[in-house]
Every structure is written in C-alpha cells, then in structure tokens.
Amino acid sequence: MKEKNNLTDNEKKLSTALLLETGKFPNVTVQTQQAIESGLIFKNIPTGTTSTTLTSVSNKISTGTLVYVYVYVQPGYSTHIIDSLVAEVTDRDEATHLAVAWVDTNKLDTVAAVEGVRLIREVIPPVVNIGSVTTQGDTILKTANVRSTYGYSGAGMKIGIISDGVDHLSSSVASGDLPSNVHVLSNTVGGDEGTAMLEIVHDMVPNATLYFHDDGSNIVAFDAAIDDLRSNGCTVICDDVSWPTEPFFEDGTVASHVNSVLSSNQVIYISATGNLAANHYQGTFYNSTYCSGGYCFNDFSSGTNHNDEGLYVNLPAGSSVTVVLEWNDKFGQSGNDYNLYLFKHNTANLLAFSDNTQSGTGDPLEYLSYTNTGSTPIAGDIDVQKSPGAAVKTLGVYIYPSNGAVVSPYNIVAAGSIFGQQAVPDVIAVAAVNQGTPSTIEPYSSRGPVAISYPSAASRSKPDISGVDCVSVTGAGGFENPFCGTSAAAPHIAAVVAQIWGAHPTLTSAQVRSALYTSAVDLGTAGKDTTFGYGRADALAMANLTAGESGLPTVTSVSPTSGPTAGGTSVTITGTGFTGATAVDFGTTAATITANTGTSITATSPAGSAGTVDVTVTTPGGTSATSTADQYTYIAAPTGSTTTVGIYRSTTGAFYLKNSNAAGNADMSFIYGNPSTDKPLVGDWIGQGKDTVGIYRSTTGAFYLKNSNAAGNADMSFVYGNPSTDIPLVGDWTGQTNSTTGAPIDTVGIYRRTTGAFYLKNSNAAGNADMSFIYGNAATDTPLVGDWI
C-alpha cells in the first residue's frame, strides 16, 4: 500500500476509494477493492462509438468506465475549468464551488491536476428515513377531529413531498388512496416511499393539492428539487432524506440552501430527523491502548472498557455497511488528519479503509463502504485513527447498515444524531413515536442536541416535534406496510401544519410553527427536550389555539445579539404581537421585562452558559417560534491561556510548534513561506482563541497571515509599510475582541527604523495607520510589544 505521506499533492485531492480506482494502492487485495467499490456509482459507455450522444466527448472517455463524483474547486475558480476533461457535468453550483460529474476512471488523475480543483470525492446516494386504508395518525394527531369540528381539510394548500419515488402512484389512485391530480415534477430515482408519504398526507387533508419531486442523485439536484416545488407554489415542503457526507458540525450545502429558502419565503419546511439513534457515536477523541509511532486509535468507550474500545457491526453474507466519520474542523480548512478503518473483528485483516488527506485545505471527512461478498458472516470492527500532530477533536460517526447488517450497541451514543437540513433552526425536525404506544419514542428515532462549531459554537435543540409511525398504507409497489420510521412521522406533521395554515392563511410561517409547538402534547422532560421536541402534535389543540387568530407573537430581531455569561445586559426585542407578554426567555431561562410597547420589549438578560440561545416571547396567544432572527449569544469572559514555545527554521522555512514547555518532538510542523525573504510572525488574527502563524516578506513589505497552523495558502495577505526601513509588529492595540468568542484580535503594525515612528493598524488589511507616533531613539533602540499592566 502506498503510504499517504508519499502521495503527490494532486493525488491527495482524490478520496481513498477513487485513489483505489487509479491503482495507487497496489497492495490492497482484489476482494477488499471490490468490496470498497460497492460504494461507488459507475456506468459503462462503449468506447469508440459513433452512434450515441456521447460522440462529442469521446476524447474524454478512454476506459469507458465512468464514476459519479463531486468536484470541489477553490474559491475564485469556475466549476467550468473541468468541462474539457469530464464526460458529463450533471449539476453544478457556483455559489458552493461544486460540480457533479461523470468522469472516466482513467482521467481522475488528470482532473485532479487541474489548477483550482480542491478535491474530488465520490457521490454517496441519499438515505431515506424509512383509500383502502387510513393512517392511524389521523386519529392520534386529531386531524380527523379538526375536520369534523371545524371543517378544515387543507383546501387552498399546496404540499410538496421529496423522497425516493412514486413508481406505483397509479395503484394508489386506483384504490382511492390518492387523488388523480397529484403533480409529479420528477420521478427518476425510483421507489415508492414517496407514494406512502403522499397517502398519509391525503388521508389527513384530503382537499390539499399534492406535489412530488424525487430527491435527486446528488446534493445540487436535491437543492434544485426544493426550488422546483417552491416555484410551483408549494408552501409546505416535507422530505425524509439525509445526505450522509454533509457536514455534522456546521451547515453544509443543503442546510444552507434550505435556510436561504426559509429566510426569503413564507414556507414551512418539515424533515424527518432520521433513524440513526442506534447507529451513531459522538465524543472527544480518546487515546486507546493501541498507539504506535504517534498514530493512535480512538477508544470509543473513553477508557471505561478496554475489552471493547471500538464500534462493531455484524455482516451476514450479502449485507453491506457504509460508515461516515467527521470531526469538528471547518470544511475546506482541516489540517488535522484522521483515518477510518473496518477490520475483521480482533484481527489486522483490513476489510475497507478511508485514508483521505487533511493538510489545511481538506474536509474533516472520511467514509467507507463495504459489502460482504462471501458466503459466511463477518464480524467487523470500526476504528478511527489519529495521525501524529493532529489535534484532539470531537468525532462524529454514523453507521448505515443494509441488507441484514446489524450494528452492535457497544459504545453507541444516541445524543447528537441529527445533522444536515434537519438541524436548521427554522426547519421542523420530526421524531417518531409508535402509533401503538404514542407517548414512547421509537428507539431508532434520532436525538439532539446538534453541536455546531462553525461559524460559532452553538447547541441547537432538536428535534422540534413528534409524529407517529408504523402506520397503515396501501403498500403500493410492495412497499412496507405498516410504514415505520421518521419518514412516516414527517408527513403527518406536514398534514397538521397544512390543515391549520389553510384555514388561517394570514398567519406567518413563524406563527404557524409557534402554534404547532405551543399546542403539542408535552412528552418526556417538561418543555422542549432533545428526544420528543415539544411533544406529540395535536391538530385539535392547534385549531383551538388559532380559532380566533389571536395573533401569536413573532420576534424579528434582538439587539444587542450578544453579551456576557454573567447576564445583566439590557436587550431590545423587536417584533409583533407582544401586547400582554407574560414572559421572555433566553433559552429556557426567564428574563426580567423592563418595558413593553407591543412591538418592542426591553428585557435584562439572565445569566447563561457560553453559546447561542433563542429569545422567545410568551403571550396569552402562545409562544413565539424560534428562528435565526431571535438568537442571542452568551460570551464567556476570556480566560488566561498558556503560551508555549516554537521555532522557525530559517534554512528551510519550517515551523516547529509545541503544546508544552518541555523538551521533545514538535506537536505541529509544517513549511510556510520563503525562508530567504520572510520573517515569522505569530498572532490570533481573527480572535479564535489561539495563535497562528504568519510571515512578513522583507522584499515586498507583504504580510501573509494564516488562521490555522498548517501548510497552505494565506487566509489574509496585504502590503503595508516600507520593507527597506520597517520592522513588522503584532499586537492587540486597542483591546478589540471577537464578539462571539470574546478572544482578543491581534493586528499588525510597523516600526520605522529611520525615524523611530510606530504605525499601528486595527485591522489586518492594507491602508493608513490607525495610530502613529514617534517614541525613543531610532539610532539606538529596538521596538518591543507587550501588555505591560
């Protein structure tokens, strides 16, 4: 096997599975390669053909074997830079620097070598979170009561469903379980989960107009499906889709797009939380007993059980598993190298692996797929390895078994098993309770909270509401009946929302969400919790609450948006419907109201823990729905940190940094800049709470500053001063801090040796000095910088 450290820069852009296709790991067995290939999407095109539409691209096809990939380009480059080398670009999103393409396996190296290409990885298919009959949810969630009491039936509402397919829609229409006018915008993926979801909605709101769009073959196509439903007038959109390699610790392509749709439209978006509570791990990396040469495996038991330190999966013949690992580095900026392995239990027999490179511009992502192609069961050990120099990070692991594979409960962590669009604050994330025991959570229903690291640390309380599953559907096309999973729970909530909103179309989407949450049957811990959300939806209580359209309060802004954890900050909350407000809460903690005009409340923030919370207003009409507009961030007072040593080797341009003040090897080492012209700098350039390196180029007067201690391009670069006379300086000249982290922000300055003048800046950018003065004797003095008192 070719060691990762020996790969070229272009080879490091390819995922492990794609590197296998290029022959870069010749020592991997044929069986292992074939098993790993089970996670790739291929199609074969005859080479040399003149009778197909691919004649015009025949020069881009050499083997005839095409693989479906994501190609990410660097900011500032167009995705069209790959067009001349790939067989077909199926989708592209310039805003996220992403193209989705079919590439000949023999041309993967060539595409990776294009200047501007950041990385290439395979497309991983989405996971769907799996009349003659009527869903039991119609009675349990009381939509039937609302129809009989108020006559609300969803008239005037357009509801869009996104799932795998509606292949046997006609069978449901023939049995009377769906109307004949379902609008199918796209059905190219295949399946009938969409049919079953539509049946549930139609049972509960029979006069709503129904739309369907498949989930697409990639994340760009999925975003387009949302836009297609919106452009067709759908104001309630419901999906049951998870994209396994979307970011866990930040909003990725899909989540950001959904958030954009919600912020600019009166739309309610509902998503199944997923069925991953029993297939998930989240925790801080913990050195196991298996360490060698600086490489250490993670102890998933965190030191509590040295006999069972891994995650485990049983793989009967013909079964498969996909495993996805991420850690809390920012996508596109990871310099901490972790690896993912699947071994045969208690052996060194490697079944599959993911060994991508993270060197400062990578994604904090490893993933593998494996199919047991043999005739006997295999017990598999899932292991995570930290490379030398990598920082200790929070790990997230999701395991997706299929075709009979079973995940062991050892070291599984249910908490935090929600990510993607389901984690967006204004998305209604739906948990599942069984229709037979509707006050008990399903063991597989994914749990919160969602730990967000970027752009700032936050804990998002998810899920939001619970619906019922294991309900009756027709089973058109052989689909499972009863229909279980959060995929079944989510359309129930779409129907409840549409039933009430259709009757009160003047309510805003935020007011409808608030009514849904306020009227829910509280389950679990009192109030909103991370298992049931606000509880089980109750359409009748929601109808009663909104019967007079009393007007739920809505928060549109808070100012200021941050303050100290000690509390005591006077905060102005702006919005509507505040008359008679009885409470203002920062998260779950009550604040003191000092003034209320009906559209503006002044309250004193209570003490809280560092992080972001929602500010909600409660009136007799209910509690305001949470949204990004109501968020307030508690900032902890900066704490003292320990400064440790490092060295800059002027012969090579290498930085060697230590995390302790003691002899021994460097904890981080990398080459940055040109040693013949550059001088090293250190500072916290953006107030992230740690120092990172930079250089000053004495030939040009240019500063090149980095926000990570790793090789790669500068995050900030600018020219300041006169290189023939100036000495670079770094300091926090005015005590400015990052409003989110509370950490000081260092900026640059210069000392002019010819005059003894200091020129200091309050920003890391070109321009005039913010402060300038002469101090000392230029002929004899050397400048110093410090916090002297």
PDB file of all heavy atoms in Angstrom, residues 589-620:
ATOM      1  N   THR A 589     -34.302  30.019  30.276  1.00  0.00           N
ATOM      2  CA  THR A 589     -34.182  30.837  31.484  1.00  0.00           C
ATOM      3  C   THR A 589     -34.954  32.135  31.333  1.00  0.00           C
ATOM      4  O   THR A 589     -34.810  32.843  30.326  1.00  0.00           O
ATOM      5  CB  THR A 589     -32.703  31.141  31.781  1.00  0.00           C
ATOM      6  OG1 THR A 589     -31.968  29.918  31.837  1.00  0.00           O
ATOM      7  CG2 THR A 589     -32.560  31.875  33.104  1.00  0.00           C
ATOM      8  N   ALA A 590     -35.780  32.450  32.325  1.00  0.00           N
ATOM      9  CA  ALA A 590     -36.621  33.648  32.273  1.00  0.00           C
ATOM     10  C   ALA A 590     -35.782  34.909  32.447  1.00  0.00           C
ATOM     11  O   ALA A 590     -34.836  34.960  33.247  1.00  0.00           O
ATOM     12  CB  ALA A 590     -37.696  33.579  33.347  1.00  0.00           C
ATOM     13  N   ALA A 591     -36.151  35.940  31.678  1.00  0.00           N
ATOM     14  CA  ALA A 591     -35.524  37.253  31.800  1.00  0.00           C
ATOM     15  C   ALA A 591     -36.490  38.207  32.490  1.00  0.00           C
ATOM     16  O   ALA A 591     -37.687  37.946  32.584  1.00  0.00           O
ATOM     17  CB  ALA A 591     -35.153  37.786  30.421  1.00  0.00           C
ATOM     18  N   THR A 592     -35.972  39.325  32.946  1.00  0.00           N
ATOM     19  CA  THR A 592     -36.793  40.360  33.575  1.00  0.00           C
ATOM     20  C   THR A 592     -37.226  41.371  32.524  1.00  0.00           C
ATOM     21  O   THR A 592     -36.386  41.969  31.837  1.00  0.00           O
ATOM     22  CB  THR A 592     -36.011  41.076  34.692  1.00  0.00           C
ATOM     23  OG1 THR A 592     -35.605  40.117  35.676  1.00  0.00           O
ATOM     24  CG2 THR A 592     -36.867  42.153  35.353  1.00  0.00           C
ATOM     25  N   ILE A 593     -38.547  41.549  32.347  1.00  0.00           N
ATOM     26  CA  ILE A 593     -39.076  42.521  31.387  1.00  0.00           C
ATOM     27  C   ILE A 593     -39.100  43.892  32.055  1.00  0.00           C
ATOM     28  O   ILE A 593     -39.671  44.065  33.136  1.00  0.00           O
ATOM     29  CB  ILE A 593     -40.495  42.130  30.932  1.00  0.00           C
ATOM     30  CG1 ILE A 593     -40.473  40.765  30.229  1.00  0.00           C
ATOM     31  CG2 ILE A 593     -41.077  43.192  29.997  1.00  0.00           C
ATOM     32  CD1 ILE A 593     -41.860  40.240  29.870  1.00  0.00           C
ATOM     33  N   THR A 594     -38.496  44.890  31.405  1.00  0.00           N
ATOM     34  CA  THR A 594     -38.466  46.245  31.964  1.00  0.00           C
ATOM     35  C   THR A 594     -39.340  47.212  31.182  1.00  0.00           C
ATOM     36  O   THR A 594     -39.692  48.280  31.694  1.00  0.00           O
ATOM     37  CB  THR A 594     -37.024  46.780  32.013  1.00  0.00           C
ATOM     38  OG1 THR A 594     -36.471  46.759  30.678  1.00  0.00           O
ATOM     39  CG2 THR A 594     -36.158  45.910  32.920  1.00  0.00           C
ATOM     40  N   ALA A 595     -39.701  46.880  29.928  1.00  0.00           N
ATOM     41  CA  ALA A 595     -40.573  47.753  29.142  1.00  0.00           C
ATOM     42  C   ALA A 595     -41.210  46.936  28.022  1.00  0.00           C
ATOM     43  O   ALA A 595     -40.608  45.968  27.531  1.00  0.00           O
ATOM     44  CB  ALA A 595     -39.793  48.927  28.556  1.00  0.00           C
ATOM     45  N   ASN A 596     -42.447  47.335  27.607  1.00  0.00           N
ATOM     46  CA  ASN A 596     -43.155  46.623  26.546  1.00  0.00           C
ATOM     47  C   ASN A 596     -44.106  47.585  25.849  1.00  0.00           C
ATOM     48  O   ASN A 596     -45.035  48.111  26.467  1.00  0.00           O
ATOM     49  CB  ASN A 596     -43.940  45.432  27.118  1.00  0.00           C
ATOM     50  CG  ASN A 596     -44.640  44.620  26.039  1.00  0.00           C
ATOM     51  OD1 ASN A 596     -44.523  44.912  24.846  1.00  0.00           O
ATOM     52  ND2 ASN A 596     -45.365  43.601  26.437  1.00  0.00           N
ATOM     53  N   THR A 597     -43.862  47.827  24.556  1.00  0.00           N
ATOM     54  CA  THR A 597     -44.721  48.725  23.776  1.00  0.00           C
ATOM     55  C   THR A 597     -45.699  47.964  22.881  1.00  0.00           C
ATOM     56  O   THR A 597     -46.477  48.591  22.167  1.00  0.00           O
ATOM     57  CB  THR A 597     -43.873  49.644  22.891  1.00  0.00           C
ATOM     58  OG1 THR A 597     -43.221  48.856  21.878  1.00  0.00           O
ATOM     59  CG2 THR A 597     -42.831  50.390  23.704  1.00  0.00           C
ATOM     60  N   GLY A 598     -45.647  46.651  22.899  1.00  0.00           N
ATOM     61  CA  GLY A 598     -46.463  45.849  21.998  1.00  0.00           C
ATOM     62  C   GLY A 598     -45.701  45.377  20.777  1.00  0.00           C
ATOM     63  O   GLY A 598     -45.996  44.323  20.214  1.00  0.00           O
ATOM     64  N   THR A 599     -44.715  46.175  20.343  1.00  0.00           N
ATOM     65  CA  THR A 599     -43.849  45.763  19.233  1.00  0.00           C
ATOM     66  C   THR A 599     -42.385  45.754  19.630  1.00  0.00           C
ATOM     67  O   THR A 599     -41.532  45.381  18.834  1.00  0.00           O
ATOM     68  CB  THR A 599     -44.022  46.695  18.020  1.00  0.00           C
ATOM     69  OG1 THR A 599     -43.727  48.046  18.424  1.00  0.00           O
ATOM     70  CG2 THR A 599     -45.440  46.617  17.468  1.00  0.00           C
ATOM     71  N   SER A 600     -42.097  46.187  20.859  1.00  0.00           N
ATOM     72  CA  SER A 600     -40.707  46.214  21.331  1.00  0.00           C
ATOM     73  C   SER A 600     -40.695  45.951  22.829  1.00  0.00           C
ATOM     74  O   SER A 600     -41.409  46.619  23.594  1.00  0.00           O
ATOM     75  CB  SER A 600     -40.059  47.562  21.029  1.00  0.00           C
ATOM     76  OG  SER A 600     -38.754  47.629  21.564  1.00  0.00           O
ATOM     77  N   ILE A 601     -39.901  44.989  23.235  1.00  0.00           N
ATOM     78  CA  ILE A 601     -39.741  44.656  24.649  1.00  0.00           C
ATOM     79  C   ILE A 601     -38.281  44.890  25.036  1.00  0.00           C
ATOM     80  O   ILE A 601     -37.361  44.515  24.295  1.00  0.00           O
ATOM     81  CB  ILE A 601     -40.113  43.188  24.928  1.00  0.00           C
ATOM     82  CG1 ILE A 601     -41.624  42.984  24.771  1.00  0.00           C
ATOM     83  CG2 ILE A 601     -39.680  42.757  26.328  1.00  0.00           C
ATOM     84  CD1 ILE A 601     -42.065  41.536  24.939  1.00  0.00           C
ATOM     85  N   THR A 602     -38.088  45.519  26.188  1.00  0.00           N
ATOM     86  CA  THR A 602     -36.750  45.630  26.755  1.00  0.00           C
ATOM     87  C   THR A 602     -36.680  44.678  27.946  1.00  0.00           C
ATOM     88  O   THR A 602     -37.552  44.698  28.824  1.00  0.00           O
ATOM     89  CB  THR A 602     -36.449  47.057  27.223  1.00  0.00           C
ATOM     90  OG1 THR A 602     -36.610  47.953  26.120  1.00  0.00           O
ATOM     91  CG2 THR A 602     -35.023  47.163  27.746  1.00  0.00           C
ATOM     92  N   ALA A 603     -35.670  43.824  27.933  1.00  0.00           N
ATOM     93  CA  ALA A 603     -35.514  42.830  28.995  1.00  0.00           C
ATOM     94  C   ALA A 603     -34.047  42.766  29.406  1.00  0.00           C
ATOM     95  O   ALA A 603     -33.154  43.079  28.622  1.00  0.00           O
ATOM     96  CB  ALA A 603     -35.992  41.466  28.529  1.00  0.00           C
ATOM     97  N   THR A 604     -33.821  42.336  30.619  1.00  0.00           N
ATOM     98  CA  THR A 604     -32.463  42.160  31.133  1.00  0.00           C
ATOM     99  C   THR A 604     -32.084  40.693  31.013  1.00  0.00           C
ATOM    100  O   THR A 604     -32.789  39.821  31.531  1.00  0.00           O
ATOM    101  CB  THR A 604     -32.368  42.609  32.592  1.00  0.00           C
ATOM    102  OG1 THR A 604     -32.782  43.967  32.696  1.00  0.00           O
ATOM    103  CG2 THR A 604     -30.938  42.478  33.100  1.00  0.00           C
ATOM    104  N   SER A 605     -30.988  40.441  30.323  1.00  0.00           N
ATOM    105  CA  SER A 605     -30.593  39.051  30.091  1.00  0.00           C
ATOM    106  C   SER A 605     -30.240  38.364  31.403  1.00  0.00           C
ATOM    107  O   SER A 605     -29.561  38.945  32.254  1.00  0.00           O
ATOM    108  CB  SER A 605     -29.392  38.982  29.141  1.00  0.00           C
ATOM    109  OG  SER A 605     -28.244  39.562  29.735  1.00  0.00           O
ATOM    110  N   PRO A 606     -30.708  37.123  31.599  1.00  0.00           N
ATOM    111  CA  PRO A 606     -30.300  36.351  32.774  1.00  0.00           C
ATOM    112  C   PRO A 606     -28.911  35.771  32.563  1.00  0.00           C
ATOM    113  O   PRO A 606     -28.372  35.811  31.444  1.00  0.00           O
ATOM    114  CB  PRO A 606     -31.351  35.238  32.831  1.00  0.00           C
ATOM    115  CG  PRO A 606     -31.710  35.017  31.391  1.00  0.00           C
ATOM    116  CD  PRO A 606     -31.638  36.370  30.740  1.00  0.00           C
ATOM    117  N   ALA A 607     -28.318  35.221  33.578  1.00  0.00           N
ATOM    118  CA  ALA A 607     -27.040  34.524  33.429  1.00  0.00           C
ATOM    119  C   ALA A 607     -27.245  33.274  32.573  1.00  0.00           C
ATOM    120  O   ALA A 607     -28.324  32.668  32.572  1.00  0.00           O
ATOM    121  CB  ALA A 607     -26.481  34.147  34.789  1.00  0.00           C
ATOM    122  N   GLY A 608     -26.229  32.900  31.807  1.00  0.00           N
ATOM    123  CA  GLY A 608     -26.330  31.723  30.948  1.00  0.00           C
ATOM    124  C   GLY A 608     -24.971  31.155  30.649  1.00  0.00           C
ATOM    125  O   GLY A 608     -23.935  31.742  30.994  1.00  0.00           O
ATOM    126  N   SER A 609     -24.978  30.005  29.998  1.00  0.00           N
ATOM    127  CA  SER A 609     -23.727  29.354  29.597  1.00  0.00           C
ATOM    128  C   SER A 609     -23.302  29.850  28.228  1.00  0.00           C
ATOM    129  O   SER A 609     -24.137  30.246  27.405  1.00  0.00           O
ATOM    130  CB  SER A 609     -23.916  27.833  29.565  1.00  0.00           C
ATOM    131  OG  SER A 609     -24.314  27.345  30.825  1.00  0.00           O
ATOM    132  N   ALA A 610     -22.000  29.810  27.975  1.00  0.00           N
ATOM    133  CA  ALA A 610     -21.476  30.267  26.696  1.00  0.00           C
ATOM    134  C   ALA A 610     -22.133  29.502  25.553  1.00  0.00           C
ATOM    135  O   ALA A 610     -22.274  28.287  25.602  1.00  0.00           O
ATOM    136  CB  ALA A 610     -19.965  30.090  26.650  1.00  0.00           C
ATOM    137  N   GLY A 611     -22.564  30.221  24.533  1.00  0.00           N
ATOM    138  CA  GLY A 611     -23.224  29.609  23.385  1.00  0.00           C
ATOM    139  C   GLY A 611     -24.416  30.442  22.955  1.00  0.00           C
ATOM    140  O   GLY A 611     -24.708  31.503  23.520  1.00  0.00           O
ATOM    141  N   THR A 612     -25.122  29.962  21.934  1.00  0.00           N
ATOM    142  CA  THR A 612     -26.238  30.694  21.346  1.00  0.00           C
ATOM    143  C   THR A 612     -27.562  30.108  21.803  1.00  0.00           C
ATOM    144  O   THR A 612     -27.734  28.884  21.816  1.00  0.00           O
ATOM    145  CB  THR A 612     -26.152  30.654  19.810  1.00  0.00           C
ATOM    146  OG1 THR A 612     -24.910  31.238  19.402  1.00  0.00           O
ATOM    147  CG2 THR A 612     -27.293  31.422  19.171  1.00  0.00           C
ATOM    148  N   VAL A 613     -28.507  30.986  22.183  1.00  0.00           N
ATOM    149  CA  VAL A 613     -29.839  30.567  22.609  1.00  0.00           C
ATOM    150  C   VAL A 613     -30.875  31.359  21.817  1.00  0.00           C
ATOM    151  O   VAL A 613     -30.576  32.394  21.210  1.00  0.00           O
ATOM    152  CB  VAL A 613     -30.059  30.776  24.120  1.00  0.00           C
ATOM    153  CG1 VAL A 613     -29.077  29.944  24.931  1.00  0.00           C
ATOM    154  CG2 VAL A 613     -29.941  32.257  24.490  1.00  0.00           C
ATOM    155  N   ASP A 614     -32.123  30.879  21.832  1.00  0.00           N
ATOM    156  CA  ASP A 614     -33.238  31.602  21.231  1.00  0.00           C
ATOM    157  C   ASP A 614     -33.920  32.450  22.289  1.00  0.00           C
ATOM    158  O   ASP A 614     -34.139  32.006  23.431  1.00  0.00           O
ATOM    159  CB  ASP A 614     -34.248  30.627  20.627  1.00  0.00           C
ATOM    160  CG  ASP A 614     -33.684  29.893  19.423  1.00  0.00           C
ATOM    161  OD1 ASP A 614     -33.364  30.568  18.441  1.00  0.00           O
ATOM    162  OD2 ASP A 614     -33.564  28.661  19.484  1.00  0.00           O
ATOM    163  N   VAL A 615     -34.268  33.665  21.920  1.00  0.00           N
ATOM    164  CA  VAL A 615     -35.038  34.547  22.792  1.00  0.00           C
ATOM    165  C   VAL A 615     -36.498  34.448  22.372  1.00  0.00           C
ATOM    166  O   VAL A 615     -36.838  34.770  21.232  1.00  0.00           O
ATOM    167  CB  VAL A 615     -34.548  35.999  22.702  1.00  0.00           C
ATOM    168  CG1 VAL A 615     -35.387  36.909  23.601  1.00  0.00           C
ATOM    169  CG2 VAL A 615     -33.076  36.093  23.080  1.00  0.00           C
ATOM    170  N   THR A 616     -37.368  33.989  23.257  1.00  0.00           N
ATOM    171  CA  THR A 616     -38.772  33.798  22.921  1.00  0.00           C
ATOM    172  C   THR A 616     -39.654  34.673  23.796  1.00  0.00           C
ATOM    173  O   THR A 616     -39.313  34.987  24.941  1.00  0.00           O
ATOM    174  CB  THR A 616     -39.194  32.331  23.099  1.00  0.00           C
ATOM    175  OG1 THR A 616     -38.893  31.905  24.438  1.00  0.00           O
ATOM    176  CG2 THR A 616     -38.455  31.432  22.120  1.00  0.00           C
ATOM    177  N   VAL A 617     -40.789  35.063  23.235  1.00  0.00           N
ATOM    178  CA  VAL A 617     -41.775  35.884  23.937  1.00  0.00           C
ATOM    179  C   VAL A 617     -43.053  35.071  24.075  1.00  0.00           C
ATOM    180  O   VAL A 617     -43.528  34.471  23.099  1.00  0.00           O
ATOM    181  CB  VAL A 617     -42.046  37.190  23.169  1.00  0.00           C
ATOM    182  CG1 VAL A 617     -43.164  37.989  23.850  1.00  0.00           C
ATOM    183  CG2 VAL A 617     -40.777  38.028  23.069  1.00  0.00           C
ATOM    184  N   THR A 618     -43.634  35.060  25.264  1.00  0.00           N
ATOM    185  CA  THR A 618     -44.884  34.341  25.510  1.00  0.00           C
ATOM    186  C   THR A 618     -45.981  35.342  25.866  1.00  0.00           C
ATOM    187  O   THR A 618     -45.776  36.232  26.704  1.00  0.00           O
ATOM    188  CB  THR A 618     -44.718  33.328  26.651  1.00  0.00           C
ATOM    189  OG1 THR A 618     -43.712  32.380  26.286  1.00  0.00           O
ATOM    190  CG2 THR A 618     -46.020  32.577  26.911  1.00  0.00           C
ATOM    191  N   THR A 619     -47.127  35.183  25.196  1.00  0.00           N
ATOM    192  CA  THR A 619     -48.326  35.973  25.481  1.00  0.00           C
ATOM    193  C   THR A 619     -49.480  34.995  25.715  1.00  0.00           C
ATOM    194  O   THR A 619     -49.307  33.777  25.545  1.00  0.00           O
ATOM    195  CB  THR A 619     -48.663  36.890  24.295  1.00  0.00           C
ATOM    196  OG1 THR A 619     -49.088  36.083  23.188  1.00  0.00           O
ATOM    197  CG2 THR A 619     -47.462  37.731  23.877  1.00  0.00           C
ATOM    198  N   PRO A 620     -50.661  35.480  26.059  1.00  0.00           N
ATOM    199  CA  PRO A 620     -51.804  34.563  26.180  1.00  0.00           C
ATOM    200  C   PRO A 620     -52.097  33.797  24.895  1.00  0.00           C
ATOM    201  O   PRO A 620     -52.725  32.735  24.937  1.00  0.00           O
ATOM    202  CB  PRO A 620     -52.960  35.505  26.551  1.00  0.00           C
ATOM    203  CG  PRO A 620     -52.296  36.628  27.288  1.00  0.00           C
ATOM    204  CD  PRO A 620     -50.997  36.830  26.571  1.00  0.00           C
TER     205      PRO A 620
END
